Amino acid sequence: MENKLKEYENNIKNITEENNKLKIKNSDNSNISDQLQSTKNKYQDIQEENKKLIKINEELKNTNRQLTEENIKLKGLSDIPEREKKLLQQQYDNLEELYDNLKSDNTVLNDSLKTLTDELKQQQKDTRTARSDYKHIVENLNKLHEEFNEIQNENKQYNVIFAEIKKMSIMERILGKYPDDIKELKP
């Protein structure tokens, strides 16, 4: 009887240990699932921000087209001195360079989003390696978020500059009477 009692006690002890291990494993799986959902939410936020950047980029393209048309009209005026034409051309070149930089930044962001999408699909296929994949994705998201914030801040500044330039008359532009906060555009 004592042997049987000891055997039962050992069985109870083994079953209790196994139960505790299963509880820990279940908790880990729950944490991984929560982390995966959080990553999905962050990914969706970045996608929304990318849509906003694409819209801003389109607006900048339209502004660039308008400025190009305006530049062509100004080139056709024969009464504008050559020095003023060079000034307008320099301003146009500066705006075009700014547009190219924003376009390049947008391409980098799109590439980063594609990379993030591929990583997210891989993470969904293999939940056993979710913890290490999650750390990698969080690092990428932080970098993307920092890049996105920088691009967003630049876009806000450029929108303000474009708005102020649009408010100016052609003569103010020709004469170089720019507001103080956009003087750096003058050659």
Side-chain angles (χ1 to χ4, degrees):
M1 288 280 288
E2 282 183 29
N3 286 340
K4 282 230 177 225
L5 182 61
K6 284 183 182 181
E7 183 180 330
Y8 289 142
E9 285 176 354
N10 283 337
N11 282 342
I12 289 172
K13 182 180 176 183
N14 289 338
I15 290 171
T16 302
E17 287 175 4
E18 187 175 335
N19 185 31
N20 287 338
K21 287 178 185 177
L22 287 174
K23 284 180 183 178
I24 290 171
K25 188 174 182 180
N26 186 31
S27 174
D28 286 348
N29 287 341
S30 176
N31 287 340
I32 289 170
S33 176
D34 291 345
Q35 291 171 349
L36 183 59
Q37 184 61 41
S38 174
T39 301
K40 284 180 184 179
N41 292 340
K42 288 179 184 177
Y43 171 74
Q44 289 172 351
D45 291 344
I46 288 175
Q47 278 186 321
E48 288 299 317
E49 292 299 328
N50 186 44
K51 288 177 185 177
K52 291 177 186 176
L53 281 177
I54 289 171
K55 183 179 177 183
I56 290 170
N57 192 22
E58 286 300 316
E59 291 171 359
L60 288 174
K61 283 181 185 178
N62 291 335
T63 302
N64 193 32
R65 278 190 220 111
Q66 291 172 352
L67 290 173
T68 301
E69 291 172 6
E70 195 173 304
N71 192 35
I72 291 170
K73 288 177 187 177
L74 290 174
K75 284 181 181 180
L77 298 174
S78 60
D79 59 345
I80 298 176
E82 193 63 30
R83 184 173 158 213
E84 292 174 348
K85 284 184 181 181
K86 286 181 182 178
L87 176 64
L88 288 173
Q89 183 61 44
Q90 180 64 38
Q91 291 170 348
Y92 172 77
D93 291 343
N94 288 343
L95 290 173
E96 194 168 48
E97 181 180 338
L98 173 65
Y99 170 75
D100 288 342
N101 289 339
L102 289 173
K103 186 176 178 181
S104 173
D105 290 345
N106 195 30
T107 300
V108 168
L109 183 59
N110 284 334
D111 290 345
S112 297
L113 282 174
K114 184 183 181 309
T115 301
L116 181 61
T117 301
D118 293 342
E119 290 174 359
L120 185 60
K121 287 178 183 177
Q122 181 61 36
Q123 186 183 35
Q124 290 170 338
K125 290 177 184 176
D126 189 6
T127 57
R128 290 178 189 225
T129 59
R131 269 190 245 145
S132 62
D133 288 345
Y134 174 73
K135 288 178 183 177
H136 180 68
I137 290 171
V138 167
E139 290 171 6
N140 284 339
L141 283 173
N142 287 338
K143 288 177 186 175
L144 287 174
H145 188 68
E146 289 172 12
E147 290 173 8
F148 173 73
N149 285 339
E150 290 172 11
I151 290 170
Q152 189 176 28
N153 288 336
E154 286 178 12
N155 279 341
K156 286 178 184 177
Q157 291 172 356
Y158 295 135
N159 284 338
V160 169
I161 289 171
F162 286 137
E164 288 182 21
I165 290 174
K166 276 184 172 180
K167 290 177 187 176
M168 294 173 62
S169 70
I170 292 176
M171 284 311 293
E172 285 177 323
R173 292 178 195 174
I174 291 171
L175 295 176
K177 293 183 179 181
Y178 294 96
D180 289 339
D181 54 339
I182 60 170
K183 288 283 187 185
E184 65 271 5
L185 289 178
K186 289 182 85 174

